[in-house]
Amino acid sequence: MIVVMQEGASEEQIQAVVRKLMELGFDVHRSTGALQTVLGGVGAKDDFDTRAVEMLDAVQEVHPVIAPYKLASRHFRPEGTVVDLGRGVTVGGNQVVMMAGPCSVESAEQMDAIAALVSRLGVRVMRGGAFKPRTSPYSFQGLGEKGLQIFRRIADQYGMLVVSEVMDQTQIPLMLEYVDVLQVGARNMQNYNLLRELGKVSKPVLLKRGIAATLEELLLSAEYIMSGGNYKVILCERGIRTFESATRNTLDVSAIPVVHKLSHLPIIADPSHATGRRDKVLPMARAAVAAGADGILVEVHQDPDKALSDGPQALFPEQFEQLMRQLHVIAAAVDRTLS
Amino acid sequence: MIVVMQEGASEEQIQAVVRKLMELGFDVHRSTGALQTVLGGVGAKDDFDTRAVEMLDAVQEVHPVIAPYKLASRHFRPEGTVVDLGRGVTVGGNQVVMMAGPCSVESAEQMDAIAALVSRLGVRVMRGGAFKPRTSPYSFQGLGEKGLQIFRRIADQYGMLVVSEVMDQTQIPLMLEYVDVLQVGARNMQNYNLLRELGKVSKPVLLKRGIAATLEELLLSAEYIMSGGNYKVILCERGIRTFESATRNTLDVSAIPVVHKLSHLPIIADPSHATGRRDKVLPMARAAVAAGADGILVEVHQDPDKALSDGPQALFPEQFEQLMRQLHVIAAAVDRTLS
Amino acid sequence: MIVVMQEGASEEQIQAVVRKLMELGFDVHRSTGALQTVLGGVGAKDDFDTRAVEMLDAVQEVHPVIAPYKLASRHFRPEGTVVDLGRGVTVGGNQVVMMAGPCSVESAEQMDAIAALVSRLGVRVMRGGAFKPRTSPYSFQGLGEKGLQIFRRIADQYGMLVVSEVMDQTQIPLMLEYVDVLQVGARNMQNYNLLRELGKVSKPVLLKRGIAATLEELLLSAEYIMSGGNYKVILCERGIRTFESATRNTLDVSAIPVVHKLSHLPIIADPSHATGRRDKVLPMARAAVAAGADGILVEVHQDPDKALSDGPQALFPEQFEQLMRQLHVIAAAVDRTLS
Amino acid sequence: MIVVMQEGASEEQIQAVVRKLMELGFDVHRSTGALQTVLGGVGAKDDFDTRAVEMLDAVQEVHPVIAPYKLASRHFRPEGTVVDLGRGVTVGGNQVVMMAGPCSVESAEQMDAIAALVSRLGVRVMRGGAFKPRTSPYSFQGLGEKGLQIFRRIADQYGMLVVSEVMDQTQIPLMLEYVDVLQVGARNMQNYNLLRELGKVSKPVLLKRGIAATLEELLLSAEYIMSGGNYKVILCERGIRTFESATRNTLDVSAIPVVHKLSHLPIIADPSHATGRRDKVLPMARAAVAAGADGILVEVHQDPDKALSDGPQALFPEQFEQLMRQLHVIAAAVDRTLS
């Protein structure tokens, strides 16, 4: 920890800070400049509230030195993490992994039609929700376990993997019966009871960034899962809330290179929820791959006008085909392949 | 619903929109102006995704007309809601209600010291956490049920009411044994499984605004609780996330008059979490009461430097006394009394 | 304009709104639904403050129908605008136009070295500042007219075009002697005296989005210029201010497809100012082209470590070469060519 | 400057950073901890781009130590600045100063009516715009010099002081003939040519915070003015842009105590522009005074429905009277008097 004293801080004030740091278990190094004194507290405390020092007299600024996450930091695994989803699909390596499907599982017919479409184009991972968190209590809430059964059966027919959202810790055992990847939604990014339990499972977790979460907070949520022993975490950028209302959220494309620098975990992008409109999904999916995303989570529906939820952001089949063609070229521009 | 067509929209395009609206169950009224046509869809659908119309050709804008919440709207109870907490304390009437206490319940000695302090100054409601949601997995997580036991016992000794946070729906039965008001934290404002279960209890719920939640979303979360039958909802402004980093969050004081206009529910403010520093708590608590808040939720500790969590934002006893003195005067300026 | 009355609005209140609308020159259409009445005001007023109606009794919402900008709207020129910069370079057509150069013009040697580098790679437009708006009064403020002289001379030697920033309206005559495109910085996006004067010149204007400007406000600023007669406006996304501090600003890549839908004006992206760090410039430049940007404005320096301003965001020569290689491929993926 | 090296940084990497710091003129102190090395660079460089060090290998974080503003910092004048406006009115002392008047000067009759109203209630400073920055090029742009003449004449009749906005540096000489305080609007907060020229005048400057400006940036803009020799700067909080759209902007009430800690300059609040609606002006004006504001800038009009600009945010005369009554009580609660 670094403590910068105000100009003109008295020796007494400086000594009070030194004492406080020593009380807290830090070794203290002091640098006295022409104008200001700087104190360096060296030590390795896990959980330290810097405000306790900030409030002391004549303290100008306090900077924690140790990143608040460890297991999620790039330093922990400089070579990067490759998450194995099963059936030979990995995220975080050379492949850019497409994860496509409807917002909600609606019926076997729907899932079959979509699985046929996307698997024909080479997609190996299918998305779809059985439990839907909805802003309004009066909206469609998903098919529940029946939806999971349909999803698993259809996915197996096409040799695909299943990604679906878990809404709280009580649902984990049920989800584990049916899905290959457990998705944590943006609103649950800081549901710590859920994260803690996911640390104990052996299947991969797809952790979405909250709409107002900093990347540091996203990595701290990953740390919750990892500190329980489950290192198979895939991060997902899905748009942040800004002042701009022309799109539902603002896809923070720069999160991709930033996370790649700070962490060893793979990061994918969800352009469907970020923009909320299918005509913005193609450009933003292309942008994410161009920026280095390890995968794309995208909504596609065989008949979006009839979708029970989020139809307006689902791609039409022909749009999805066009997107796949474009992404093959863009992946090549950054020395990767699309799958 | 109002649909504004683009300038130059063809008759065919307009008819396509009219057909879609009728399919969706709306009566359609058409206004043809010199430059643009406007279609009014009248009807009372509960859950309608306006994007389904927005995506049609030549549609410029779509505005939903019906507020997405009903039970929480001012129109539902123009006279306002007064929530009875028990022991004669009500929120939403003439009184500005103080709810004071530590961040976490730490020990019987601590709770006794704080209860003695705040009750002597006239405070009737005590706050304190037994389960703590913490950003880092390595931080103090609260005393759990043992903390609730201590809290209840001390509160009863001083004739005070208990407010404490419930972290997920599995904790509700336990909380109901000990607390008078169940607090929903900012990170849980859209934990719909929790909200739905709280709709079934008969005790009041204190619902905190998420750090990136709009006021409409806050009212929709209240609607989740109310739609289950529990109308005893108290809203709480606790700071939003903005670009400014000089304070932890930005207390949105204007949320107070805005909510009073949109909704009949009472709204209080939490200046401790919003600012994160005790030297900013006094001015912001004063500001909230001056703006019309129905109560203040504030952290105070008999020895903040020794607090196990959030000590830097807890008021010292003498600061709390000063705050009470100032708030009595300010409450009078807006024709209310402090309790 | 659409006025939505509250549920339960009285006939008297509705009539008061009708009268107000007629006073303001609107034809009024009334739709009476089961729960609510909607009034449509049709007319073509240029400048109308909707709050005058919002404040009336029992008014729930007011929506303006006519977009506040006209000349900048897509409807005005559905086919899109191609801005001719001279020497055969156009922005807004099939080409993705690179505009590269240093932050500041520092010396003839510097400009010569950079021009040689970028023109060799096919770049036809060079950027560089002679007047620098700096956050601190103690920073380097640019070479002024001497810088412009150097810039013009070197650009002519290499057959390149000159883009440089104009800081206020008094500088316009001077700038016109030297530059091909007048750049308006983000901080000046709403300097209306400057915009008005730029409406009278015949050279193209490169208008940067303010860091907190909505896209509607950006288009209104373009309207200021266009309403004076100068239709050669190129918009530029350069990052917006959000709560995330991992990058200097957040490049709003989605602004590109949104502007292409709302307006006929071309839009380019500036990844250098958005991110503030050269290691983020490549991924974000690629993302912008993948999303459909009409050009890229990027900082490159022959020796970034010695740059007098913004060196950390300037690309090294070899990075710039790599970027050009990647962008050629990505431009092809969206059926365009790079120049 | 403090440089935190990554865990595992090599001795060679550390030495490279040390060399760079010394090149830049810093004395270097080194702290070697169990996990990480921290380097302290002591010196007093005015203008240093920390990114030059951030980009070096194995650097984790860089923190500047010296506040980027000096003259505006609290340390420069710990006792605080009291700005003398003339006629015995001072801002920054014990008085909370009301500055009231219309958005725009419209006519002598209007100004006379408003001056009579506000001066009767004890107000000594009148606001009003002669040049209006408007988002749309089609809106009323103000009366110009004729407006200033009217304003001065009426103000003198009532013994009041004049505050009015200067839009660019070319208008300064004209403004100085008529006004007592030169107001810089939010959009011009970083118009450096304007700020620099205002540093040369001897009249007080009222500097409004930009809607997306941090408080550090606001103080840096004050520094621009002060570095030219004019120390009579009054800051003004007028709302920031956030994701919440229920109010036009979000009045950042916490800016008031934050600025009082960081700087010696007085700070007032403008609730009219922040909220954009008169029904929110009273609660927010009260909140600002309760939080410690040194004054309030508020719009009032004798007939708001007929105002040529911003009528919906102007108070009716009876509302203004009510506000004055409430503010007298609240000022007393914080040991101040209202004038």
Side-chain angles (χ1 to χ4, degrees), chain B residues 103-335:
Chain B
C103 174
S104 302
V105 177
E106 299 169 10
S107 69
E109 294 66 37
Q110 169 229 27
M111 293 303 281
D112 186 67
I114 299 172
L117 165 73
V118 302
S119 68
R120 180 174 57 79
L121 295 166
V123 176
R124 305 288 311 280
V125 187
M126 193 167 180
R127 61 148 291 147
F131 300 97
K132 301 303 302 175
R134 304 300 297 270
T135 315
S136 164
Y138 309 115
S139 300
F140 172 62
Q141 311 272 332
L143 291 187
E145 181 167 8
K146 183 164 160 263
L148 292 173
Q149 291 167 342
I150 292 171
F151 195 171
R152 182 75 267 171
R153 182 164 54 80
I154 301 287
D156 285 342
Q157 284 170 18
Y158 288 88
M160 295 182 82
L161 298 162
V162 165
V163 181
S164 198
E165 180 167 347
V166 52
M167 278 182 68
D168 65 52
Q169 77 270 32
T170 66
Q171 294 180 341
I172 294 177
L174 176 67
M175 297 301 291
L176 287 175
E177 288 181 47
Y178 297 102
V179 312
D180 300 298
V181 181
L182 294 104
Q183 178 179 319
V184 177
R187 293 186 189 89
N188 266 330
M189 192 199 85
Q190 296 189 314
N191 182 335
Y192 300 124
N193 288 350
L194 172 58
L195 299 180
R196 203 175 292 115
E197 293 305 312
L198 288 172
K200 302 174 187 164
V201 311
S202 60
K203 288 192 174 173
V205 175
L206 176 55
L207 177 65
K208 285 194 165 186
R209 180 185 186 182
I211 60 165
T214 62
L215 294 172
E216 181 173 302
E217 290 168 339
L218 174 62
L219 292 172
L220 271 166
S221 287
E223 187 89 0
Y224 254 91
I225 300 171
M226 297 176 81
S227 67
N230 184 356
Y231 287 13
K232 296 179 192 160
V233 178
I234 301 165
L235 306 172
C236 181
E237 162 63 33
R238 50 75 72 219
I240 59 173
R241 184 158 272 177
T242 68
F243 63 83
E244 178 59 68
S245 59
T247 46
R248 187 161 58 176
N249 293 126
T250 301
L251 188 73
D252 179 8
V253 178
S254 59
I256 297 164
V258 170
V259 163
H260 278 157
K261 174 139 201 227
L262 295 177
S263 176
H264 56 85
L265 296 171
I267 179 166
I268 68 170
D270 172 354
S272 305
H273 283 87
T275 63
R277 290 179 56 125
R278 75 173 67 93
D279 58 345
K280 303 298 181 285
V281 169
L282 266 71
M284 298 315 291
R286 295 190 311 249
V289 172
D294 295 303
I296 296 291
L297 186 71
V298 68
E299 298 195 358
V300 56
H301 197 283
Q302 88 285 7
D303 187 0
D305 289 338
K306 297 276 190 305
L308 293 184
S309 62
D310 275 349
Q313 73 195 31
L315 296 181
F316 283 99
E318 58 274 22
Q319 288 179 306
F320 185 71
E321 289 197 46
Q322 182 190 355
L323 177 61
M324 290 295 287
R325 278 195 306 274
Q326 293 177 326
L327 292 187
H328 276 291
V329 181
I330 294 173
V334 291
D335 297 320

Side-chain angles (χ1 to χ4, degrees), chain C residues 73-128:
Chain C
S73 79
R74 170 60 71 172
H75 181 71
F76 183 71
R77 275 194 186 165
E79 73 284 9
T81 284
V82 177
V83 178
D84 189 347
L85 307 191
R87 291 184 171 158
V89 179
T90 57
V91 179
N94 184 260
Q95 291 189 330
V96 176
V97 178
M98 295 298 291
M99 306 179 184
C103 175
S104 301
V105 178
E106 300 170 10
S107 68
E109 292 65 37
Q110 170 229 27
M111 292 303 281
D112 186 67
I114 298 172
L117 164 73
V118 301
S119 67
R120 180 173 59 78
L121 295 166
V123 176
R124 306 288 312 281
V125 188
M126 194 167 179
R127 61 148 290 146

Side-chain angles (χ1 to χ4, degrees), chain A residues 46 66-76 215-224 226 258-259 261-265, chain B residues 135-138, chain D residues 7 60-61:
Chain A
D46 278 331
I66 293 172
Y69 47 85
K70 292 177 172 42
L71 305 173
S73 79
R74 170 62 69 173
H75 180 70
F76 183 71
L215 294 171
E216 181 173 302
E217 289 168 341
L218 174 62
L219 293 172
L220 271 166
S221 287
E223 187 90 1
Y224 255 91
M226 299 176 80
V258 170
V259 163
K261 176 143 201 224
L262 296 178
S263 177
H264 56 85
L265 296 171
Chain B
T135 315
S136 164
Y138 309 115
Chain D
E7 279 186 51
Q60 179 180 305
E61 290 172 52

Side-chain angles (χ1 to χ4, degrees), chain A residues 167-178:
Chain A
M167 279 181 68
D168 64 53
Q169 79 270 31
T170 67
Q171 294 180 341
I172 295 176
L174 176 68
M175 297 301 290
L176 287 175
E177 287 182 46
Y178 297 103

Side-chain angles (χ1 to χ4, degrees), chain A residues 50-72:
Chain A
T50 54
R51 293 175 296 171
V53 176
E54 256 173 74
M55 313 296 292
L56 297 178
D57 277 356
V59 170
Q60 180 180 305
E61 291 172 52
V62 178
H63 304 285
V65 163
I66 293 172
Y69 47 85
K70 292 177 172 42
L71 305 173

